[in-house]
Structure formats: structure tokens, C-alpha cells
Amino acid sequence: MKLTNKGRYAVMAMADLASNAKDGPISLTEISLRQNISLAYLEQIFLKLKNNKLVRSSRGANGGYVLEKPASEIKLSNIIYAVDEEVKTLNCKKNSKRGCNNKSTKCITHNLWDQLDQHIIGFFEKVKLQDLAKLG
Amino acid sequence: MKLTNKGRYAVMAMADLASNAKDGPISLTEISLRQNISLAYLEQIFLKLKNNKLVRSSRGANGGYVLEKPASEIKLSNIIYAVDEEVKTLNCKKNSKRGCNNKSTKCITHNLWDQLDQHIIGFFEKVKLQDLAKLG
DNA sequence: AGGAATTCCTACTATTTTAGTAGGGATTAA
DNA sequence: TTAATCCCTACTAAAATAGTAGGAATTCCT
């Protein structure tokens, strides 16, 4: 599973959005200052969040982002998935001669890693953005 | 959490040791062939496994490795820990000005990530090497 | 005694991934 | 018209990963 700073930043930023909700949209500049994440990096992250329909944007001055759905309906797995693309611990490389080639006894750990993935995904499926906002 | 190929190889190799146990020690050459992992890489891995008292070695011709303890007493977390050193998803960097500095509201995800670590560790704590050997 | 098999140990290196920067364009409110 | 903001792509530096290389030490076997 790719679980990096980018994923963490995304969760942080979304939690920020949720807990600082106001009338209009919230600009990345604000989030950048509050969460101490570089603006340019946030832009990249929000591009993906937007493409995954987790936030809605309005452009121009006073523009910014708002949650696309209520915080109670956004699962953390959605966020992680949006920015990290794959929610798998490790791919047993398809065309590699090394390691797992997914047949018979070669990769005894294959199933194990799959199970772990499910575990992690399950964890993030359970927690909603709303749950996090309470902590902030 | 650092959960890479090295960790997976380590688990594979240990499972191999467990399920191919015979009278004498098993050489890395054998494991290398069976599991399709380079010998030199296996050597590095087994150095760590040995330092962590998971295997015992005998040198020289006909040398090799045996499990230090019964497979029923070796937890996967022991193995992962031995080769990957840290079992944590992400460190909120101590001296970084970026991201979490672990005070107040800055890092709302800090606790979350800690919980996830516990989840993953718990997973690997439950499974014993013996459980894996059955699969192979 | 000598050769082959094996572990032991350290250092190096190529590749990939991550994290972040840079720069310019498009849009909108005031 | 200007400033703020989103939008988008490309680039880059640093870190981590995966693996190689090479030789030393040890032990078995003939």
C-alpha cells in the first residue's frame, strides 16, 4: 500500500476543510497556512481530490474549495485512494521473473499480503471524515 | 510502515525454511532457487534474521540455516521487524517545519496513523510462521 | 592437504519513488 | 484592471529500495 505523506496531507487538508467550513469556499492559501503544507503541493493534491469528486472548486478571487458531500459521507479510503491511486501493499510484478509469479507454491505470501491490504482498506473504510474533524 | 519486497522476501524465505525442513540445515542456494530470489540478496536478509535470533546458521560446506525456534513460535511481526527495522507507517518528522509537529491541532491525522500502525502490527502479531507453511 | 560449498560482511550502485518546486495560463470578484 | 485564486504540466532534488560485487572465513569431503 502506498501510504505516504501525500496521503496524509490529503487527509489533513480534507479534515481542515471539514472543520473550518464557512459560508463560502476555502482557499488553499488558508489551508496551506493552517496545516503548513506548501501551496503548490496542495494544488496538486486538490486537483486529484477534485477529479475524484470529493471537493468542488470555484475559481477566481474569493474562490476555493468546499466538500462535495457531507463529511459524514466521505470515507478516508476515498481520500487515500484519490491521491495515492493504488491501495495495495505490493504488486507481485506481472512480468518479473523474480519473486511471485502468482502460480502454485512460488509466492506463499501472496494471499497474506492480500489479506493485509483488506485489513488496511477496512480500517480506512470505517472512518469518516466527520470522525476526524471531531479530533481537530 | 515500511513494508517492502525485502520484508516479503524475508517472510517467503522463512516459510520456505519452515516447510522444507529436513535433517540438516538448508542452504541459501536452495532457497534462492525455490523462491527465485537472488542469493546475494538472501544473504543480506538472513544476516538480519540471524541477528534477530530467528534462524541459526552453520558455516562451511553443507552449511545453511535452520529455524531457531519452532515455526509455531515465530510471529510474522518478528520477521518483518527484523528486516525492515521500523514498523511505523510514517514518522511525523521531528525537526521539520512542515506537517505534523505533534502539538495541538496541527496534525489531526497523527493519532489516526498511530492507530493504523497498531492495526497492521496486530495483524502480523496474530499470524505465525506455522500458519503460512500450511499454505505452501 | 586441497578444493568446493557455504556463511559472513561491507561497500557500492542503479532505479524508482517521493516530495516538492516552478511557471505560466484561465477565471472571477471587487 | 488588478489581485486572488484555481488549473495544469513539467521539472528536479532527495531519499529509499533493490540488488550487485567482491572478498574473507569456515567447514566438509575426498
Side-chain angles (χ1 to χ4, degrees):
Chain A
M1 162 162 214
K2 274 159 61 180
L3 199 46
T4 66
N5 260 333
K6 194 193 283 187
R8 197 160 62 93
Y9 285 167
V11 173
M12 285 169 73
M14 289 290 281
D16 184 284
L17 257 194
S19 49
N20 294 288
K22 55 184 181 187
D23 245 19
I26 293 179
S27 74
L28 294 188
T29 311
E30 285 181 62
I31 298 179
S32 169
L33 291 173
R34 272 197 295 262
Q35 303 300 334
N36 204 16
I37 305 170
S38 98
L39 178 60
Y41 204 29
L42 272 180
E43 286 180 343
Q44 281 186 61
I45 290 170
F46 271 80
L47 212 55
K48 296 192 172 192
L49 292 174
K50 192 190 157 198
N51 290 339
N52 282 266
K53 304 216 187 307
L54 296 175
V55 296
R56 194 172 343 127
S57 68
S58 36
R59 305 180 69 172
N62 292 335
Y65 292 90
V66 291
L67 295 181
E68 177 83 41
K69 294 177 281 192
S72 58
E73 294 177 16
I74 298 180
K75 293 183 283 191
L76 295 195
S77 56
N78 299 145
I79 302 174
I80 299 288
Y81 185 83
V83 297
D84 270 351
E85 280 122 29
E86 51 176 335
V87 183
K88 288 190 80 39
T89 39
L90 281 177
N91 286 330
C92 296
K93 289 168 202 148
K94 291 192 190 69
N95 299 319
S96 163
K97 296 180 79 175
R98 276 285 146 77
C100 171
N101 49 14
N102 205 4
K103 63 176 176 213
S104 76
T105 59
K106 268 292 175 53
C107 186
I108 7 184
T109 61
H110 191 105
N111 291 339
L112 184 75
W113 255 243
D114 274 354
Q115 281 181 46
L116 177 63
D117 281 346
Q118 290 310 312
H119 239 68
I120 298 176
I121 292 170
F123 180 79
F124 282 123
E125 288 275 325
K126 268 185 299 208
V127 185
K128 306 287 194 314
L129 193 53
Q130 191 177 34
D131 307 325
L132 260 193
K134 288 174 192 160
L135 306 176
Chain B
M1 161 160 215
K2 275 159 57 181
L3 200 46
T4 65
N5 259 334
K6 194 194 283 187
R8 197 161 63 93
Y9 284 168
V11 174
M12 285 168 74
M14 288 290 281
D16 184 285
L17 258 196
S19 49
N20 293 289
K22 54 184 181 186
D23 244 21
I26 293 178
S27 74
L28 294 189
T29 310
E30 286 182 61
I31 299 180
S32 169
L33 292 174
R34 271 196 296 262
Q35 302 300 333
N36 206 15
I37 305 170
S38 95
L39 177 60
Y41 205 29
L42 272 180
E43 287 180 345
Q44 281 186 60
I45 290 172
F46 271 80
L47 213 54
K48 296 192 174 193
L49 293 175
K50 191 190 157 197
N51 290 340
N52 282 265
K53 305 216 188 306
L54 295 175
V55 295
R56 195 172 344 126
S57 70
S58 37
R59 306 180 68 174
N62 292 335
Y65 293 89
V66 292
L67 295 181
E68 175 83 42
K69 293 177 282 194
S72 58
E73 293 178 19
I74 298 180
K75 293 183 283 191
L76 295 194
S77 56
N78 300 145
I79 302 174
I80 299 289
Y81 185 82
V83 296
D84 270 349
E85 280 123 29
E86 52 177 332
V87 183
K88 288 189 83 36
T89 39
L90 280 177
N91 287 331
C92 295
K93 289 169 201 147
K94 291 193 189 70
N95 299 318
S96 164
K97 296 179 82 175
R98 276 286 147 77
C100 170
N101 47 17
N102 204 3
K103 64 178 177 216
S104 75
T105 60
K106 270 289 176 54
C107 185
I108 9 184
T109 60
H110 191 104
N111 291 339
L112 185 74
W113 256 242
D114 274 355
Q115 282 180 45
L116 177 63
D117 281 345
Q118 290 310 310
H119 239 67
I120 298 176
I121 293 170
F123 180 79
F124 283 123
E125 288 275 325
K126 267 185 299 207
V127 184
K128 305 289 195 312
L129 192 53
Q130 192 178 35
D131 306 326
L132 262 193
K134 289 173 192 159
L135 306 177

